[in-house]
Amino acid sequence: AAPSGAPVASVAPGVVTLAGWTNGGGRTVRVRLRDDSYFADSAMSANVVGEIPGRDPRAGVVVLGAHLDSWDLGQGAMDNGIGTAQLFAIAAACSRSWIEGTAPVGAAVRRAGIVCCVLLVAQLTIAATMRHNNAGLVISSFLFSTPPPGNHLLPPVWDFRISIHFAHRVMALVLAFALTWFAWTIRRDRASTMAMRAGASALVSLMVLQILLGMGIIVTLRRASFTTSHVVVGALLLSVTFWITWVAHRDRLESPAK
């Protein structure tokens, strides 16, 4: 055990793997660690707050919340992503456009939305498994599975951690096509609302940003800013996809009550 007060740093297994591929081969590998962390008495934290005022102030206040950050023991966008998606659904169902309007979109939009939601949940489950098994850098190059000069598309060796990391990359490719298809389906449907069309554009933008952040994680060896942003954008991707799908089902959800 480290003596009291001694600095301790946790090194991701992927860093060790990268060192073995590039400078290992039985030789001693020297690692230089720069730690910029510090303790602060107080720190600023940002929040997003929205308010829907009711008609009767005596009825009280209902507070709904979800968090966009996810780190340490709560790694993964599933934790914050599902809560944010639920918050989006409740906010949409309480809006005037939901209560007074209609969304007669075709079945193709609803089907595409459900498919993308399922794929995103599967991807976030894979990502959470990958992070909890410290597999974020077991494949330490991009786009190929081995660094130059090898440049192999498939990993030369396989185990559970490498398999789950590779599955995360394959699912990212599947989602790139699926989300693009979903956005195209929304834009093609004449009954899609302006908000749904804006959401479709946001989906494509978030998808591109998420891929770039994933590349940045590999290149920077999991720099905290890239990794945290990757988790946040993953939560937003699930939330926006779920919100559009939820709105697309508005007429079907409300029809039994009429």
Side-chain angles (χ1 to χ4, degrees):
S4 177
V8 177
S10 177
V11 180
V15 177
V16 180
T17 303
L18 177 61
W21 278 351
T22 56
N23 298 314
R27 300 189 301 272
T28 300
V29 178
R30 293 192 176 189
V31 177
R32 178 177 295 177
L33 176 64
R34 177 178 175 178
D35 185 6
D36 296 327
S37 60
Y38 61 92
F39 291 96
D41 295 331
S42 61
M44 296 294 294
S45 178
N47 285 293
V48 179
V49 179
E51 182 180 356
I52 303 177
R55 295 186 178 91
D56 187 359
R58 296 172 298 178
V61 177
V62 177
V63 178
L64 303 173
H67 63 98
L68 284 176
D69 63 301
S70 184
W71 197 245
D72 197 20
L73 298 180
Q75 293 183 23
M78 282 294 292
D79 178 24
N80 51 337
I82 289 179
T84 308
Q86 291 173 337
L87 187 60
F88 276 34
I90 295 171
C94 292
S95 66
R96 179 174 298 178
S97 61
W98 179 284
I99 297 171
E100 299 178 356
T102 182
V105 295
V109 175
R110 295 193 294 270
R111 284 195 298 266
I114 292 173
V115 169
C116 287
C117 284
V118 171
L119 289 175
L120 278 167
V121 170
Q123 173 71 321
L124 298 178
T125 303
I126 293 171
T129 305
M130 183 179 70
R131 278 186 285 269
H132 283 295
N133 285 275
N134 294 317
L137 288 175
V138 293
I139 300 178
S140 57
S141 58
F142 197 91
L143 297 161
F144 297 98
S145 295
T146 57
N151 291 337
H152 296 120
L153 185 61
L154 298 176
V157 294
W158 292 86
D159 58 21
F160 175 76
R161 292 166 63 238
I162 293 175
S163 300
I164 203 70
H165 184 117
F166 191 77
H168 186 61
R169 295 191 178 195
V170 172
M171 184 60 78
L173 182 63
V174 172
L175 273 168
F177 285 100
L179 290 173
T180 303
W181 164 58
F182 185 30
W184 178 79
T185 304
I186 294 169
R187 303 287 299 185
R188 187 168 172 264
D189 194 305
R190 294 184 178 181
S192 296
T193 64
M194 186 65 67
M196 293 177 67
R197 292 173 182 269
S201 299
L203 270 183
V204 175
S205 300
L206 287 170
M207 177 191 68
V208 173
L209 177 60
Q210 185 74 334
I211 294 173
L212 293 175
L213 287 171
M215 295 172 57
I217 290 173
I218 300 298
V219 173
T220 63
L221 301 180
R222 290 187 66 191
R223 183 177 294 176
S225 57
F226 280 90
T227 307
T228 303
S229 299
H230 192 63
V231 173
V232 171
V233 174
L236 289 174
L237 266 174
L238 174 60
S239 300
V240 174
T241 304
F242 177 80
W243 167 72
I244 297 175
T245 306
W246 178 260
V247 172
H249 283 78
R250 184 262 173 209
D251 288 2
R252 284 202 166 191
L253 292 169
E254 294 293 339
S255 57
K258 294 182 180 179

